[in-house]
Amino acid sequence: MTMNEDNKANLNELPEHIQNNIKSEIDFLKLEKDIEKDLKTNPKYKEYFEKFSSSSVKNFIDSYKRKKAHVISYGEMYSRDEDARQLKYKELAENYLFYIQQKKLFNFQCEWRAELVTAPEIKITDDFKYWEDEIRNCNFIPAITEDEILLLKEFLIEGDFREDIEYFASWQDYDKFKENYNSDSEDDMLPLWYEFFDSRKGSGNLLTLPNTRGEKEDFYWKIYFDNQIKTGQEKIEKQKIEGTYIEPVIDNRPILNSFGDHLYEFVELFEEGKTKRYFKAEYDSSESRYELEDIEPYLEILLNADEPVTMEISDNWKDAIIKTAVKYENGKVSEVIDEVYGEYLQRISLGISYEKHESYHENISKGMMEQILKGRKLNGEPEDLNF
């Protein structure tokens, strides 16, 4: 396909993105023609084509020229997509690698709270939340060992690791884990990885240790906050005496939400006829869409699988898809764990730190430390952490 001078002039008057689209289409059509000519005239194909009927060869050439032109035009993009998929498993493997350290940091926290160990990097309990965010640079816990890598790989193959970690709120939430550990409920006891690690390493009794350090901090916090309340009350009493106090207006009625149960309750009470039917249809459509969104990430994993995948058995088809996808992904991650671990060891040997991430817990920890120190002062003790 060629263009005369008038067409070229007209093309130059169009917006740049449209010019680019048209030029790409012209290049694509020219590539198709070149491929077609090669297929029809190059003698290297002759012997192969003679094995098939002439009409099917004609159809094949017509189809193949488009396919080959497409592959050549977009091959780099497909290569990048494949590279991205491979990189994804390496990134997941690196994330999982440091869940080993999260567990070891949590074990250290249990011992630190019981005053069995110390570390210069930990001054108050909230510092553990900071190091949760900075786990890759947390050097006061031992480095990852080969035995721990084997343990992680075993768990990846046996456990539903992806579900356990992806939506997990906090790896160092001692108070929640302690409460769950001491409760009768079997729900949300500990992350599955923590339980698996404990079962193999015999560290399941650490939550039975006393929270000595935490209780000491709470003692000084209570003094600080009681004083804050007392100061606030004294300020109010003074304003009342001066006649400057304004009673705050507090609306204790519940909040009306414009979504969920409140929305559909309102529709049920006040809408009717066609409008009510439309609301119901929209709700049913949304529910179906949300259900699909829940499994889309898992379907994408399976669609991009580079090997046959056997479906896992489940009473629910969505659960079967999720289990199958997680098992496949965990297997792919296990294949690159050793490579990622090697890179981790190389960083350690060269003294190269990981990139530091901004953690809002750093400022929170500083604020909490100031409150503890003020509590110490109010109690007639030195403003330090030697307690």
Side-chain angles (χ1 to χ4, degrees), residues 260 264 280-294 318:
Y264 296 105
K280 184 179 185 307
E282 187 274 339
Y283 174 79
D284 292 340
S285 174
S286 297
E287 286 294 295
S288 300
R289 187 168 63 252
Y290 293 148
E291 287 188 13
L292 179 61
E293 288 175 356
D294 286 343
K318 286 186 290 187

Side-chain angles (χ1 to χ4, degrees), residues 114 117 262 333:
V117 294
H262 286 168
V333 170

Side-chain angles (χ1 to χ4, degrees), residues 27-40 42 44-45 49 59-76 78:
D27 291 342
F28 187 85
L29 293 172
K30 182 180 183 303
L31 180 59
E32 271 193 355
K33 285 186 174 297
D34 291 343
I35 294 169
E36 181 180 15
K37 181 180 179 182
D38 177 61
L39 290 167
K40 288 180 176 180
N42 195 324
K44 72 178 182 180
Y45 307 117
F49 283 157
N59 291 335
F60 176 86
I61 290 174
D62 191 50
S63 173
Y64 188 78
K65 70 179 182 183
R66 290 193 294 271
K67 182 70 173 177
K68 185 174 180 179
H70 180 83
V71 168
I72 292 173
S73 299
Y74 300 100
E76 284 299 320
Y78 291 131

Side-chain angles (χ1 to χ4, degrees), residues 259-277:
F259 54 87
D261 292 341
H262 286 168
L263 170 63
Y264 296 105
E265 178 185 59
F266 188 87
V267 170
E268 188 65 31
L269 289 171
F270 301 107
E271 301 295 352
E272 57 186 35
K274 186 165 58 176
T275 301
K276 182 182 285 190
R277 290 200 307 275

Side-chain angles (χ1 to χ4, degrees), residues 93 152-153 156-157 329-338:
L152 175 60
K153 289 166 75 171
L156 277 169
I157 299 304
E329 184 174 75
N330 287 350
K332 302 301 287 186
V333 170
S334 295
E335 292 174 6
V336 296
I337 281 283
D338 290 333

